Amino acid sequence: MEIPRDISGKMTALIVTGVVLILFFGYRAYVNSRQALQILEIQAPNIMRIAFDTQVFALTPANLEPVLKSVAAQFGGAGGQAEIEELKKEFDSHLWIAVMTRNRGLQNATDVVTQVRLTTPITALQGYSSTGYARMEVKEGGIGKETAAVNWNYIEPAITAVTLIGLQPKDFAGKAPYSKKDTRIWSRDFRLYFELAEVKSKEGAIAYAY
């Protein structure tokens, strides 16, 4: 049976119109998604790749245990426990500044270099992370210098790396071994001796702490 021409013409027009609408709205959805990604990139740069959250603070008896707990995964086994006990034994011999860096992105950060600038020589330098696979190596400066550049081989997403810098400023009132009173004063005044920490990764992510 032959389909009437007026009906077949209407069906063809509807099909063409439907295809055009599908293509139009599909294109608009693509454009909108691209714009949304661009806006996200502007509002939260590198969040989908690598981004650092870096903090600097005085390490004192009040926060020593929480900091060590945050990197406790590195201290598994007898060797790790001996390492942490060695740090606690050395703790009273220096005044400490902690530079804590967390990768809050979704990709590994590799060759992460933390450059620290101070106004007094460094007397101790250690680094720990919340995974035993991340290792710190001193590249420049360090003990006896007022600057240090330390390299972490990588910091995984959601992993924290802590660089501990020991000092004994000549003009600080307290003397080693430092008392709780000394460390309370240090917690208030440590920024007199700390200038800058700059964190960079091989992938180009940068963060600063003052």
Side-chain angles (χ1 to χ4, degrees), residues 21-199:
L21 288 174
I22 290 171
L23 291 174
F24 173 77
F25 286 112
Y27 174 74
R28 289 305 305 168
Y30 169 78
V31 171
N32 290 339
S33 65
R34 294 285 296 177
Q35 289 177 341
L37 287 174
Q38 290 173 356
I39 292 172
L40 177 62
E41 183 71 15
I42 293 172
Q43 293 178 341
N46 295 322
I47 194 65
M48 300 302 289
R49 299 191 297 274
I50 296 168
F52 295 123
D53 179 18
T54 299
Q55 301 174 14
V56 58
F57 53 91
L59 191 67
T60 68
N63 61 21
L64 176 62
E65 290 298 336
V67 169
L68 293 180
K69 186 177 180 180
S70 73
V71 294
Q74 182 168 334
F75 300 106
Q81 189 59 37
E83 190 177 356
I84 199 169
E85 291 302 323
E86 187 64 29
L87 171 62
K88 288 182 177 180
K89 188 184 300 183
E90 188 183 27
F91 184 78
D92 293 338
S93 300
H94 306 272
L95 298 166
W96 295 90
I97 293 175
V99 179
M100 180 176 285
T101 298
R102 181 178 177 83
N103 180 2
R104 60 184 180 89
L106 299 179
Q107 291 185 13
N108 289 341
T110 59
D111 290 333
V112 181
V113 176
T114 300
Q115 292 186 316
V116 180
R117 190 165 69 238
L118 307 159
T119 62
T120 189
I122 297 169
T123 55
L125 188 58
Q126 300 192 37
Y128 304 101
S129 83
S130 48
T131 171
Y133 298 105
R135 298 295 179 187
M136 187 195 82
E137 179 184 0
V138 179
K139 291 293 187 180
E140 295 179 9
I143 294 177
K145 307 293 184 180
E146 295 183 359
T147 61
V150 300
N151 175 264
W152 294 90
N153 55 343
Y154 69 92
I155 304 178
E156 297 171 280
I159 292 299
T160 298
V162 183
T163 304
L164 302 181
I165 306 158
L167 308 170
Q168 294 178 342
K170 292 181 179 179
D171 58 345
F172 187 79
K175 303 293 180 183
Y178 295 100
S179 66
K180 290 185 177 179
K181 180 181 178 181
D182 293 332
T183 55
R184 283 198 300 269
I185 296 172
W186 177 250
S187 182
R188 182 193 67 192
D189 296 343
F190 78 97
R191 291 185 184 278
L192 295 174
Y193 307 94
F194 176 83
E195 290 190 344
L196 173 69
E198 180 185 72
V199 182

